[in-house]
Amino acid sequence: MFTTFDRYLLKRYGSVFGILFVCIFGLFVVIDGFTNVDAFQETAHSPLDVLVRMADYYLYQSSALFDLIAPILAVISAMVVFALLVRHAEVHPLLAAGVPLYRLLVPVAGGAIAVNVAVFANQELIVPQISHRIQASRGERGDDGQNVDPVYDYDSHIRIDGRKLFLATRRLSQANFVLPVPEVVEELTTLKAREARYVEATPQRPAGWILRDVAPRYGGLRLTADGRARVLPLDDPADVFVASDVSFDQLHNRNRSQQFAATPELVRRIRNPAYGVASLRGTTLQVHSRLVAPLGNVLSVLVAVPLIVRRESRSLVLNLALCTGVLIAVYGMAQAFLYLGRVGFIPTDLAAWGPVIVAGTLGAWLSGFAQT
């Protein structure tokens, strides 16, 4: 049960977190806005339109920024809360009354867990719905064409390319689908369409692309038995349906698209044979990282507190400097694990869980340095 002092600490934690996020987001808007103001002016019709486009762009970017920095701010906020307790001599009366130091961690850890819940909700519910707006260029409305990264479907061996990708409507303009030999056609064929639109799977048909105004027409294709199951005619003789599990978001900013997808979608990609080894490795690492992130943040708080409220310490400033250095080292170690997992040097599960194991061990060892 939370006491009055617990509510006091939780309120202070929330205030520090909110102030830090608003300051960092405001600094990001000012620096990025003034640096790239020309990009907003190119498509605007008036000074008011510039401000509207900037507000629209940074509103969506706030969700991506929260996803990026909230876990870090959760740990920094805990550091600040305990530093203020030490600065205002609020720790010693509690310790003298027999309250253990780690009892004070309960509301702070609760605040860190609440931040992680908010990050999880943002990742799973908000970001996937507005991903096309987050990835839009400055000054755009989210329905502008993006550059296309050609993708190879490892299941059907079809190569997908095009001129521009429209994320909001899932369309690919000037689409080129290269059909391989002998998996799909008897001779190498490239389907060229005015546009292609990605559709999800239904009980009647698999997921794939609807090609509009395609050449050559379906009747002129020399399809194999497997090809007739993947390339299907539509009611309009100028249209063709190509079954493929490579979705539209894989055609743009492929290395970052995993960050904007919900976890169920990432799990579906892992089970899908259409994606390559490198893509599957990155997706698997992303799923593991999401699972261990809340635990890693709480353990980082357990590492920080003994260094802030350190027995026989000479200076609070030195404690903060030491704590910052240790946390930077832990963060660098975590990034090194992720990099090794991304390049396949170590297993993806070890890359995600290794930093958590190290942080937990370090937190247990540092617990002996805390004031009692």
Side-chain angles (χ1 to χ4, degrees):
M1 182 177 180
F2 272 16
T3 64
T4 301
F5 197 76
D6 289 334
R7 292 191 292 271
Y8 165 73
L9 290 180
L10 187 59
K11 182 179 178 181
R12 176 176 286 184
Y13 180 88
S15 300
V16 171
F17 180 86
I19 292 172
L20 288 175
F21 179 77
V22 170
C23 291
I24 293 177
F25 179 65
L27 188 62
F28 166 73
V29 170
V30 170
I31 296 176
D32 188 81
F34 277 99
T35 304
N36 302 282
V37 66
D38 292 341
F40 294 100
Q41 291 177 337
E42 289 177 357
T43 56
H45 305 291
S46 65
L48 179 60
D49 194 24
V50 173
L51 296 178
V52 171
R53 288 178 179 270
M54 292 181 69
D56 179 78
Y57 175 78
Y58 290 113
L59 175 63
Y60 290 100
Q61 292 301 316
S62 64
S63 180
L65 188 66
F66 180 81
D67 188 29
L68 179 65
I69 69 173
I72 300 176
L73 293 185
V75 180
I76 296 178
S77 299
M79 291 173 54
V80 173
V81 167
F82 277 91
L84 291 175
L85 289 177
V86 174
R87 177 68 179 81
H88 297 151
E90 296 175 288
V91 174
H92 296 93
L94 293 170
L95 296 178
V99 179
L101 177 64
Y102 280 95
R103 174 62 181 82
L104 304 181
L105 268 173
V106 173
V108 176
I113 292 173
V115 170
N116 282 281
V117 170
V119 171
F120 178 80
N122 183 58
Q123 286 178 339
E124 301 299 324
L125 303 177
I126 300 178
V127 171
Q129 302 299 323
I130 62 174
S131 60
H132 62 283
R133 303 301 299 269
I134 295 176
Q135 299 179 77
S137 301
R138 296 170 181 84
E140 296 179 354
R141 294 291 188 178
D143 54 354
D144 302 86
Q146 307 292 332
N147 294 328
V148 177
D149 297 332
V151 174
Y152 183 78
D153 186 335
Y154 284 84
D155 185 29
S156 64
H157 306 285
I158 297 174
R159 186 178 183 273
I160 304 174
D161 195 2
R163 183 178 180 182
K164 288 290 183 179
L165 182 70
F166 299 86
L167 297 173
T169 55
R170 301 184 172 189
R171 292 185 299 112
L172 179 64
S173 67
Q174 302 298 317
N176 294 321
F177 283 63
V178 181
L179 306 181
V181 179
E183 291 85 354
V184 178
V185 289
E186 296 178 359
E187 59 182 14
L188 187 63
T189 305
T190 300
L191 294 179
K192 297 183 178 181
R194 174 174 49 84
E195 72 169 27
R197 183 169 61 88
Y198 181 79
V199 292
E200 301 287 351
T202 66
Q204 292 74 29
R205 53 160 178 74
W209 295 83
I210 297 177
L211 279 62
R212 304 291 187 185
D213 194 15
V214 66
R217 297 288 195 254
Y218 181 82
L221 300 177
R222 301 176 58 185
L223 299 171
T224 62
D226 291 338
R228 283 188 289 272
R230 292 193 176 273
V231 182
L232 306 174
L234 297 176
D235 294 337
D236 190 335
D239 300 340
V240 167
F241 177 80
V242 178
S244 175
D245 286 320
V246 174
S247 57
F248 68 99
D249 57 339
Q250 289 290 294
L251 294 170
H252 172 70
N253 207 6
R254 187 160 54 250
N255 293 331
R256 291 190 60 203
S257 66
Q258 301 160 352
Q259 303 174 15
F260 305 126
T263 302
E265 169 62 18
L266 295 179
V267 174
R268 187 192 69 82
R269 293 182 185 181
I270 293 173
R271 297 175 177 176
N272 197 321
Y275 296 94
V277 175
S279 178
L280 290 176
R281 186 186 302 119
T283 304
T284 305
L285 184 59
Q286 181 72 16
V287 172
H288 279 290
S289 299
R290 290 187 181 185
L291 293 177
V292 304
L295 181 59
N297 290 334
V298 174
L299 291 177
S300 297
V301 173
L302 297 181
V303 171
V305 170
L307 296 175
I308 298 294
V309 195
R310 189 161 55 96
R311 64 173 64 182
E312 300 179 0
S313 62
R314 297 181 179 181
S315 169
L316 177 60
V317 176
L318 291 178
N319 290 351
L320 286 171
L322 177 61
C323 180
T324 302
V326 171
L327 290 179
I328 290 176
V330 172
Y331 179 77
M333 176 267 302
Q335 294 303 309
F337 267 88
L338 291 177
Y339 174 77
L340 293 176
R342 196 173 296 114
V343 299
F345 190 79
I346 59 176
T348 53
D349 51 353
L350 177 60
W353 286 92
V356 174
I357 296 173
V358 174
T361 304
L362 183 61
W365 179 69
L366 290 174
S367 62
F369 291 85
Q371 291 186 16
T372 59

